[in-house]
């Protein structure tokens, strides 16, 4: 039977959200929602859609994992020479989107992206499993490769170069980024597509304005 995508609908009704319900700090509000998502066993609760824009104005998005909220910034790690790394080098503006369907919630975050310190990148890289460290050396992320076999040959090469149990240094082209937010939208699903949407908008880099927007 052919599925008519236009007929697929889900009505949201489990929770509500109002300006009087949210915390004064968007970071604290986000931490509260993330905690609740983890407690609800939301699938990949720390997964976030990262959107970047090239110097030509072409947008791109992909799923990455949140690895910390430090100094009110959202931290993730990747290859600096990847597609996303090239975009960030040319255009520091970026956006994140978290979606937790188990709670009928999403959070949109906009801001600017910069690299974290080399010390923070080193510390995180050291905490990674051995295979993930080797993977960082193996993959020229976003670059064309002839075959899967070529990738597996690289794995063998770096496993011999850095045997398990020895120190695997962090590649200079791999490390962390942090998005400093200037806009949050907390979205709570409601019936008939009349969702609750509460915005935090940073004014003059000093105070957060909190208000409701139309669904």
């Amino acid at each position: 039977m052919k599925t008519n995508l236009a007929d697929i609908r889900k009505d949201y009704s489990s929770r509500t959200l109002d300006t009087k319900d949210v915390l004064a700090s968007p970071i604290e509000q986000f931490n509260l929602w993330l905690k609740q998502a983890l407690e609800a066993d939301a699938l990949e609760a720390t997964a976030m859609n990262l959107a970047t824009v090239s110097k030509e104005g072409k947008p791109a998005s992909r799923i990455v994992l949140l690895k910390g909220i430090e100094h009110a910034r959202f931290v993730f790690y990747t290859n600096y020479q990847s597609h996303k790394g090239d975009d960030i080098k040319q255009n520091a503006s970026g956006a994140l989107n978290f979606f937790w369907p188990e709670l009928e919630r999403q959070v949109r975050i906009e801001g600017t992206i910069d690299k974290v310190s080399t010390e923070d990148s080193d510390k995180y890289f050291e905490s990674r499993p051995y295979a993930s460290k080797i993977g960082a050396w193996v993959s020229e992320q976003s670059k064309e490769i002839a075959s899967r076999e070529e990738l597996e040959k690289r794995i063998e090469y770096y496993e011999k170069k850095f045997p398990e149990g020895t120190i695997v240094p962090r590649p200079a082209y791999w490390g962390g980024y942090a998005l400093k937010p200037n806009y949050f939208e907390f979205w709570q699903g409601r019936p008939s597509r009349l969702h609750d949407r509460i915005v935090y908008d940073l004014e003059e880099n000093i105070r957060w304005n909190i208000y409701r927007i139309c669904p």
Side-chain angles (χ1 to χ4, degrees):
M1 180 183 297
K2 183 178 180 180
T3 301
N4 186 346
L5 299 182
D7 290 337
I8 298 175
R9 292 180 177 86
K10 175 175 173 56
D11 222 17
Y12 301 109
S13 59
S14 65
R15 292 170 176 82
T16 64
L17 185 66
D18 200 278
T19 52
K20 62 181 174 55
D21 301 324
V22 297
L23 301 173
S25 163
I27 297 294
E28 291 179 6
Q29 182 65 37
F30 178 86
N31 281 331
L32 173 63
W33 273 24
L34 177 59
K35 179 175 180 290
Q36 292 172 346
L38 292 168
E39 290 173 347
D41 290 327
L43 182 63
E44 295 285 9
T46 60
M48 56 189 186
N49 183 298
L50 167 67
T52 56
V53 181
S54 70
K55 63 180 179 180
E56 295 83 15
K58 181 180 179 181
S61 68
R62 73 291 286 164
I63 301 299
V64 298
L65 296 178
L66 176 67
K67 290 301 179 180
I69 302 175
E70 301 167 8
H71 308 294
R73 302 187 307 163
F74 290 73
V75 178
F76 60 96
Y77 291 85
T78 190
N79 187 314
Y80 291 143
Q81 298 173 354
S82 63
H83 185 162
K84 68 181 86 63
D86 289 341
D87 281 357
I88 293 167
K89 184 177 180 180
Q90 301 294 333
N91 187 335
S93 294
L96 306 174
N97 187 299
F98 293 83
F99 180 48
W100 301 308
E102 295 87 350
L103 299 176
E104 301 176 351
R105 288 173 173 171
Q106 78 174 306
V107 183
R108 293 200 310 110
I109 305 169
E110 299 173 5
T112 55
I113 304 174
D114 199 1
K115 289 181 180 179
V116 305
S117 69
T118 55
E119 293 79 10
D120 285 347
S121 289
D122 287 341
K123 182 178 179 180
Y124 175 72
F125 188 80
E126 179 57 32
S127 74
R128 302 184 90 205
Y130 171 75
S132 296
K133 294 176 183 177
I134 293 297
W137 282 96
V138 166
S139 177
E140 296 179 5
Q141 196 174 102
S142 304
K143 305 300 187 293
E144 184 176 354
I145 190 168
S147 64
R148 181 73 192 188
E149 288 71 25
E150 176 62 26
L151 199 65
E152 291 171 352
K153 287 179 182 178
R154 293 183 186 181
I155 294 173
E156 292 178 6
Y157 171 82
Y158 282 107
E159 284 180 340
K160 290 178 180 178
K161 184 174 183 177
F162 304 119
E164 189 165 5
T166 66
I167 294 175
V168 182
R170 176 179 65 87
Y173 52 78
W174 191 99
Y177 287 106
L179 182 140
K180 181 179 180 181
N182 53 42
Y183 180 94
F184 286 78
E185 180 197 317
F186 290 84
W187 180 98
Q188 179 68 62
R190 296 297 303 278
S192 303
R193 295 296 184 263
L194 296 176
H195 310 302
D196 289 330
R197 300 172 66 188
I198 304 301
V199 165
Y200 292 74
D201 197 359
L202 188 60
E203 180 182 357
E204 297 180 351
N205 207 33
I206 298 174
R207 68 179 67 78
W208 290 100
N209 293 322
I210 304 175
Y211 52 90
R212 174 184 287 271
I213 61 175
C214 288

